[in-house]
């Protein structure tokens, strides 16, 4: 089987009413199915499906999914069965596994309208974002399927007469995937697909806020032909994830989420209790405090909309979102005034309404956190925009713009993960780079400048994993912008990039002597 | 039909060609002869020069300006000798000041070919000049992108003032008020232009467009709504047809919209416009300005980036043929609508004139690009209107770069004319 080259799944063209209508149709199709039931699923056996509930952040009374809450016993059983399944699954040629993943991609494609609608309901992702998330999930399946086939061929090694050298990448065994709610389909799909494509069995523990999306993902993978044992679904709370990370039968952990949890996973994974015969590999994608630098020659007509979009799309709940703007003093006042005006035009509303810019944040706790930082910003500095009217019901927080903060303010330091952005005045682009370099985070960054020299210098200096020049800083595309952070933002693995799969394999080299009594066997 | 019409097209085209005012006949060469000639031959150099033009107003000093220029030139794999000298000059502070001053003057000079003045008042002399030669004008207020309600309000206020100013200027030149003609962009009238929610922008812009329509009616002036990229098409078309369909505007003002022939859906859009015109008869009838479309590269790149099929024709000949087909449909629909053909393409224009065969028709050109064609048309007794952008250099730069790019593009008509293609070739059927 030879696969056509990878290309990104086209998003819907939401500027056309026929595509908008189609999505609304997806919602009508989904609604009568709610709440979805998402049981613990091990080896195809459905366990309990009560324990946790996901609700619509825009209407918390609406239950979207009722899911099981996996416990220690479930973890134990899932890992044991995965270990057995991994041997058979890993022994298949990569092309056969690829075929199954591509079939799963086709199923997601068929169900894309319903899947987008599910994200609208379960995570309050606005339509355009939800549709892009489904496309990204499809991309991960298609991309890693191809990459795994390429990886199986192995690299070219130096060969000399009388010796045959070969290098292979083989599956590690059991991969634990612990995924967040903010890309409720794409991120679990990407990490799961990477594990499966390379021949590992996967145990997936999705965020408790979005079990419904994870359930649909697993359903599609099983229907496509992933053996039930090779992919288990453990909906549940943090303790289930922690138990999974600690389990001695887990070989690799793929995690995306907060810095605190990520570092805890890295610590726990470093333990090698008796009976564990391997070092666990951790792929951790953590938080950020992403800065956009605006040079004195920037085109504000482009910078202002791009900053506003980067900061507030999906209510700022993307790890790539813009949190700090560092603007050259020559234009900071004008920039601030224009961003302020632009923030005031943002539409706060339900995710199912086309045109909504800022949907509710995911849950009450997130809402409280954003409110606390907004209050802190008001007391330590100045809130230039914010506090507008928002709907009473649902976890809405008005988009907020803060400035004049003291350099040591927690508002400038902590990841807030909500609709709050700050603007700081810098005397030079060098000074802005100093600020970015001083941060423990290095996920995404942005630069607006029309000077080739400045672009070159800033590119050379900034440690961030993904730097965007003269554009918005969110929306990395599989195969085009391999995504992942450095420093405390992540371990440097690049999802959707050419070397990501290496994290899920272990390399083996075989050298064979092909000469006997001077006879070279070729 | 094309076969019957071809002799008439040739006749009209040759006559127009002969009526061009001087031997320049090629606005591109005149723009800034050397820079344009260089740019037209070398894509990388063109990109460097246009990026420089684009950033000029944002530079803080002549030194800053010179540094930007050399920054762009440094990126070129090869540099013509004349530009090598610029890079050498930029090594010293005084050299940079001189280079910066020369470059700034060059850009200003170029901008003034396209932009009639900083404000409608400042452009009055230019307008009077056109009017005295029997050429009409439409003024377009250049502005920065509108990102806030305050900016939309300011743009609307500028439009209102411009209408007053134009009406007064027309009166001072003893012209009918209808010669006060303003073109406006909907994206400047609302910060809520959302491709996925066209109603938001429509409702918000309506609040600012309605008073402008009333003002235009009071003054007897004409208000034209430009068309922008496809992302704003639904908002714009719905807005214009909704408002002009309102009872209070049934008797005026004179108003118009734009149809872009490069869009594959443009024939269906014309269906919609004509159906509307039939169902809401108004006096005076709607003006439809037919253009090819100014956002071709943008539409193609955006579609490619998203994996969509481009909404525009991808062959120039298809676009030109569609333009001619729409021209004929529009002329046949008169007097349900009034027809304005806006193009610098001698063939497209000659085709319209030949097909109209004496029926009412207005021809429109852009200042700085269509001046000679405009004069030739006026000389031959056709009704001509020159579209005159007005605004400061910062606001004008995006417009300027678009015009420069479009007209140095390989398959633009002006490009072929600049290369000295014979008139028979220029007049050949697409
Ligand atoms: C008075 C006036 C008002 C205008 N108002 C508007 C407006 O409101 N909105 C707007 O969008 N434009 C407007 N335009 C610009 C217009 O759309 C054209 O971009 C411009 O006039 C160049 O077209 P042309 O017929 O003069 O030249 P030509 O050289 O014959 O045509 C160039 C045009 O062809 C099209 N084209 C180029 N390459 C290709 C290709 N490979 N395949 C298919 N098509 C291609 C593009 O539209 C390009 O602009 C206006 C023009 C004038 C003169």
């Amino acid at each position: 089987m030879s696969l056509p080259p990878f290309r990104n799944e086209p998003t819907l063209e939401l500027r056309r009413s026929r595509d908008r209508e189609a999505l609304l149709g997806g919602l009508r199709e989904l609604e009568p199915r709610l709440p979805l039931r998402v049981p613990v699923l091990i080896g195809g056996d459905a366990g309990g499906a009560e324990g946790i509930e996901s609700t619509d952040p825009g209407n918390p009374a609406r239950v979207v999914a009722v899911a099981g809450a996996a416990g220690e016993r479930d973890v134990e059983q899932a890992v044991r069965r995965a270990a057995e399944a991994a041997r058979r699954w890993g022994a298949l040629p990569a092309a056969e596994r690829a075929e199954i993943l591509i079939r799963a991609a086709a199923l997601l494609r068929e169900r894309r309208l319903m899947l987008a609608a599910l994200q609208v309901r379960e995570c309050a992702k606005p339509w355009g974002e939800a549709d892009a998330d489904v496309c990204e999930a499809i991309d991960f399946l298609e991309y890693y399927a191809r990459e795994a086939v390429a990886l199986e061929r192995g690299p070219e090694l130096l060969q000399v007469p009388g010796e045959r050298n070969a290098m292979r990448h083989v599956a590690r065994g059991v991969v634990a995937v612990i995924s967040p709610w903010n890309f409720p389909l794409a991120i679990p799909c990407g990490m799961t697909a990477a594990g499966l494509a390379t021949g590992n069995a996967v145990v997936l523990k999705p965020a408790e806020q979005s079990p419904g999306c994870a359930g649909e993902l697993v359903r599609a993978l099983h229907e496509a032909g992933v053996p039930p044992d090779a992919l288990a679904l453990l909906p549940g709370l943090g303790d289930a994830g922690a138990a999974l990370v600690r389990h001695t039968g887990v070989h690799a952990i793929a995690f995306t989420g907060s810095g605190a949890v990520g570092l805890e996973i890295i610590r726990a994974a470093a333990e090698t209790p008796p009976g564990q015969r391997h070092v666990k590999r951790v792929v951790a994608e953590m938080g950020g405090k992403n800065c956009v630098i605006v040079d004195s020659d920037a085109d504000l007509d482009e910078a202002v909309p791009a900053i506003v979009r980067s900061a507030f799309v999906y209510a700022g709940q993307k790890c790539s979102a813009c949190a700090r703007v560092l603007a050259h003093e020559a234009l900071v006042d004008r920039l601030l005034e224009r961003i302020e005006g632009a923030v005031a035009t943002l539409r706060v509303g339900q995710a199912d309404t086309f045109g909504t810019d800022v949907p509710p944040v995911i849950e009450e706790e997130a809402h409280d956190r954003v409110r606390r930082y907004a209050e802190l910003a008001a007391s330590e500095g100045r809130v230039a925009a914010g506090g507008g009217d928002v709907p009473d019901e649902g976890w809405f927080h008005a988009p907020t713009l803060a400035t004049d903060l003291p350099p040591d303010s927690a508002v400038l330091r902590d990841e807030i993960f909500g609709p709050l952005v700050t603007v700081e005045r810098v005397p030079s682009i060098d000074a802005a780079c100093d600020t970015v370099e001083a941060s423990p985070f290095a996920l995404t960054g942005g630069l607006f400048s029309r000077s080739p020299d400045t672009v070159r210098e800033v590119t050379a200096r900034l440690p961030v994993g993904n730097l965007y020049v003269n554009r918005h800083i969110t929306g990395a595309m599989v195969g085009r912008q391999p995504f992942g952070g450095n420093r405390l933002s992540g371990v440097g693995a690049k999802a959707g990039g050419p070397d990501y799969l290496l994290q899920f394999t272990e390399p083996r080299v075989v050298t064979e002597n092909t000469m006997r009594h001077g006879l070279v066997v070729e | 039909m094309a076969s019957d019409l071809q002799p008439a097209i040739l006749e009209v085209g040759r006559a127009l060609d002969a009526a061009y005012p001087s031997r320049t006949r090629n606005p591109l060469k005149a723009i800034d002869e050397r820079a344009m000639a260089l740019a037209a031959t070398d894509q990388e150099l063109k990109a460097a020069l246009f990026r420089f033009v684009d950033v000029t107003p944002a530079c803080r000093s002549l030194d800053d300006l010179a540094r930007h220029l050399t920054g762009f030139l440094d990126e070129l794999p090869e540099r013509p000798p004349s530009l090598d000298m610029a890079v050498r000059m930029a090594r010293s502070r005084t050299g940079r000041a001189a280079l910066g001053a020369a470059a700034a003057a060059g850009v200003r000079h170029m901008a003034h070919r396209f932009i009639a003045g900083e404000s409608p008042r400042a452009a009055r002399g230019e307008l009077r000049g056109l009017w005295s030669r029997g050429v009409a004008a439409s003024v377009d207020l250049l502005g920065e992108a509108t990102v806030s309600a305050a900016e939309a309000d300011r743009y609307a206020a500028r439009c209102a003032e411009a209408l007053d100013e134009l009406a007064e200027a027309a009166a001072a030149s003893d012209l009918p008020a209808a010669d006060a003609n303003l073109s406006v962009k909907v994206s400047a009238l609302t910060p809520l232009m959302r491709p996925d929610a066209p109603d938001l922008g429509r409702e918000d812009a309506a609040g600012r467009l309605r008073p402008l329509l009333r003002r235009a009616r009071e003054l007897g002036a004409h208000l034209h709504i430009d068309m922008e990229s496809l992302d704003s098409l639904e908002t714009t078309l719905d807005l214009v047809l909704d408002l002009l369909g309102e009872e209070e505007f049934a008797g005026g003002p004179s108003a118009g919209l734009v149809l872009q022939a490069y869009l594959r859906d443009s024939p269906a859009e014309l269906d919609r416009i004509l159906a509307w015109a039939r169902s809401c008869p108004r006096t005076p009838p709607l003006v439809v300005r037919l253009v090819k479309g100014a956002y071709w590269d943008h539409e193609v790149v955006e579609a490619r980036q998203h994996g969509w099929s481009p909404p525009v024709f991808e062959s120039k000949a298809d676009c030109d043929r569609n333009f001619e087909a729409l021209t004929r449909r529009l002329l046949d629909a008169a007097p349900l609508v009034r027809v304005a053909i806006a193009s610098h393409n001698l063939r497209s224009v000659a085709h319209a004139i030949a097909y109209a065969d004496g029926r009412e028709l207005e021809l429109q050109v852009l200042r700085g690009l269509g001046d000679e064609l405009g004069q030739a048309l006026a000389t031959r007794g056709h009704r001509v209107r020159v579209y005159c952008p007005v605004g400061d250099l910062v606001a004008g730069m995006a417009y300027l770069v678009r015009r420069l790019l479009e007209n140095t593009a390989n398959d633009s008509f002006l490009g072929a004319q600049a290369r000295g293609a014979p008139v028979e070739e220029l007049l050949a059927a697409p």
Side-chain angles (χ1 to χ4, degrees), chain B residues 116-127 165 390:
Chain B
E118 296 245 321
S119 63
R121 180 166 290 275
R124 218 184 229 216
E126 300 273 339
L127 296 178
E165 169 66 33
V390 160

Side-chain angles (χ1 to χ4, degrees), chain A residues 270-325:
Chain A
E271 299 282 334
T272 47
Q276 179 178 318
R277 303 185 303 265
H278 56 269
V279 178
K280 289 174 185 168
R281 165 66 60 96
V282 181
V283 182
E285 198 52 70
M286 298 173 284
K289 185 76 180 176
N290 308 306
C291 301
V292 171
I293 299 174
V294 186
D295 195 2
S296 61
D297 67 357
D299 181 354
L300 292 187
D301 281 358
E302 285 184 345
V304 171
I307 287 170
V308 170
R309 169 172 173 191
S310 302
F312 295 110
V313 79
Y314 194 28
Q317 303 174 108
K318 293 185 174 190
C319 47
S320 55
C322 165
R324 296 172 79 173
V325 178

Side-chain angles (χ1 to χ4, degrees), chain A residues 448-471:
Chain A
F448 283 88
S449 169
R450 285 183 281 180
S451 154
D453 296 337
T454 305
V455 172
R456 203 175 316 114
E457 284 155 22
V458 172
T459 305
R461 268 191 76 180
L462 293 192
V464 298
N466 290 69
L467 176 65
Y468 297 91
V469 180
N470 292 326
R471 56 157 275 183

Side-chain angles (χ1 to χ4, degrees), chain A residues 56-331:
Chain A
D56 180 347
N59 175 7
R62 169 156 44 204
V63 177
V64 179
V66 183
E72 294 260 0
R73 279 200 19 236
D74 297 312
V75 169
E76 178 58 41
Q77 212 194 345
V79 174
R80 189 167 45 73
R81 295 187 64 167
E84 286 163 23
R87 268 192 293 277
R88 289 185 300 277
W89 177 247
L92 292 178
E96 272 180 45
R97 293 192 300 262
E99 212 175 311
I100 291 171
L101 296 187
I102 285 171
R103 215 176 296 142
L107 290 172
L108 296 189
R109 206 174 278 123
E110 267 170 34
R111 299 169 190 169
R112 66 183 292 173
L113 302 173
M114 182 275 290
L115 291 169
L118 179 56
Q119 300 191 31
V120 167
R121 279 285 174 261
E122 193 166 47
C123 300
K125 247 190 166 184
W127 284 116
E129 298 293 315
D131 175 53
D133 189 285
V134 180
C135 290
E136 189 177 1
I138 294 169
D139 283 353
F140 277 131
L141 289 163
E142 296 270 357
Y143 183 80
Y144 292 144
R146 287 165 173 78
E147 288 292 311
V149 172
L151 190 63
E152 191 181 55
R153 283 195 289 271
E156 293 286 328
L157 300 178
L158 201 60
Q159 310 288 352
V160 297
E163 176 182 291
R164 189 185 296 138
N165 298 310
M167 179 160 169
R168 293 181 301 140
H169 294 279
V170 294
R172 288 179 172 269
V174 176
V175 174
V177 170
I178 299 176
S179 64
W181 50 265
N182 64 335
F183 286 83
L185 193 69
I187 292 184
C189 182
M191 297 192 293
T192 301
L196 291 173
T198 42
N200 298 278
V202 171
V203 180
L204 167 61
K205 195 325 247 165
E208 69 256 30
Q209 295 87 348
S210 57
C213 291
E216 288 299 311
L217 169 67
V218 169
R219 181 162 77 93
L221 283 162
H222 282 153
E223 278 178 39
V226 175
D229 273 338
L231 173 60
L233 175 63
L234 301 185
L237 299 168
D239 58 334
L244 189 56
V245 167
R246 277 196 312 272
H247 199 289
T248 55
V250 166
H251 299 85
I253 299 150
F255 166 79
T256 303
S258 75
V261 176
L263 294 178
E264 183 50 40
I265 288 176
I266 290 171
R267 229 179 339 261
E271 299 282 334
T272 47
Q276 179 178 318
R277 303 185 303 265
H278 56 269
V279 178
K280 289 174 185 168
R281 165 66 60 96
V282 181
V283 182
E285 198 52 70
M286 298 173 284
K289 185 76 180 176
N290 308 306
C291 301
V292 171
I293 299 174
V294 186
D295 195 2
S296 61
D297 67 357
D299 181 354
L300 292 187
D301 281 358
E302 285 184 345
V304 171
I307 287 170
V308 170
R309 169 172 173 191
S310 302
F312 295 110
V313 79
Y314 194 28
Q317 303 174 108
K318 293 185 174 190
C319 47
S320 55
C322 165
R324 296 172 79 173
V325 178
L326 308 172
H328 194 286
E329 59 187 13
L331 52 54

Side-chain angles (χ1 to χ4, degrees), chain A residues 7-17 20 128 295-301 304-305 328 330 334 337-339 341-343 345-347 354-357 449-453 456 477 480, chain B residues 51 54-56 58-60 64 67-68 70-72 74-75 143-149 151 154 191-192 194-198 200 230-231 234 265 299 302-309 311:
Chain A
R7 64 188 278 268
N8 296 107
E9 183 68 20
T11 55
L12 292 175
E13 222 178 318
L14 295 187
R15 60 187 176 184
R16 298 196 188 267
S17 58
R20 298 195 293 271
D295 195 2
S296 61
D297 67 357
D299 181 354
L300 292 187
D301 281 358
V304 171
H328 194 286
R334 180 92 187 93
E337 182 199 323
R338 295 193 75 187
I339 296 182
V343 170
T345 69
L346 291 174
R347 313 289 293 189
F354 285 103
T356 287
D357 299 298
S449 169
R450 285 183 281 180
S451 154
D453 296 337
R456 203 175 316 114
M477 300 285 288
R480 275 161 61 187
Chain B
R51 281 165 73 200
D54 171 63
V55 77
T56 311
C59 290
R60 285 172 295 155
D64 194 22
R67 282 180 196 279
H68 276 85
T70 53
F72 293 124
D74 275 340
E75 291 200 323
E144 290 178 282
T146 291
V147 302
S148 67
E151 289 170 2
R154 259 197 309 273
L192 291 179
R194 299 282 200 282
D196 62 343
L200 283 181
L230 180 62
D231 278 353
E234 194 173 334
D265 288 347
E299 300 295 1
E302 171 151 285
R304 295 251 158 83
Q305 286 193 353
H306 287 88
W308 302 332
S309 61

Side-chain angles (χ1 to χ4, degrees), chain B residues 258-338:
Chain B
V258 174
L259 180 64
Q260 296 161 313
Y262 65 6
L263 290 177
R264 292 175 190 276
D265 288 347
S266 53
E269 251 147 57
L270 181 54
D271 290 342
R272 181 174 166 202
I273 293 167
L274 294 179
W276 174 90
R278 256 176 243 116
S279 70
C280 311
R282 65 189 308 273
T283 38
L286 182 75
V287 175
V288 179
R289 177 202 295 158
L290 180 65
V291 303
K292 280 172 198 160
Y295 306 84
W296 189 84
D297 297 86
H298 167 88
E299 300 295 1
V300 172
V301 167
E302 171 151 285
R304 295 251 158 83
Q305 286 193 353
H306 287 88
W308 302 332
S309 61
V312 293
F313 291 107
E314 286 175 277
S315 111
K316 177 73 165 62
D318 286 344
C319 173
D320 288 358
R321 268 195 298 273
N322 189 46
F323 188 89
E324 295 188 1
L326 294 174
T327 300
R328 294 192 295 271
R329 283 187 59 194
L330 279 167
L331 285 167
D332 292 343
L336 197 56
V337 292
R338 290 177 284 163

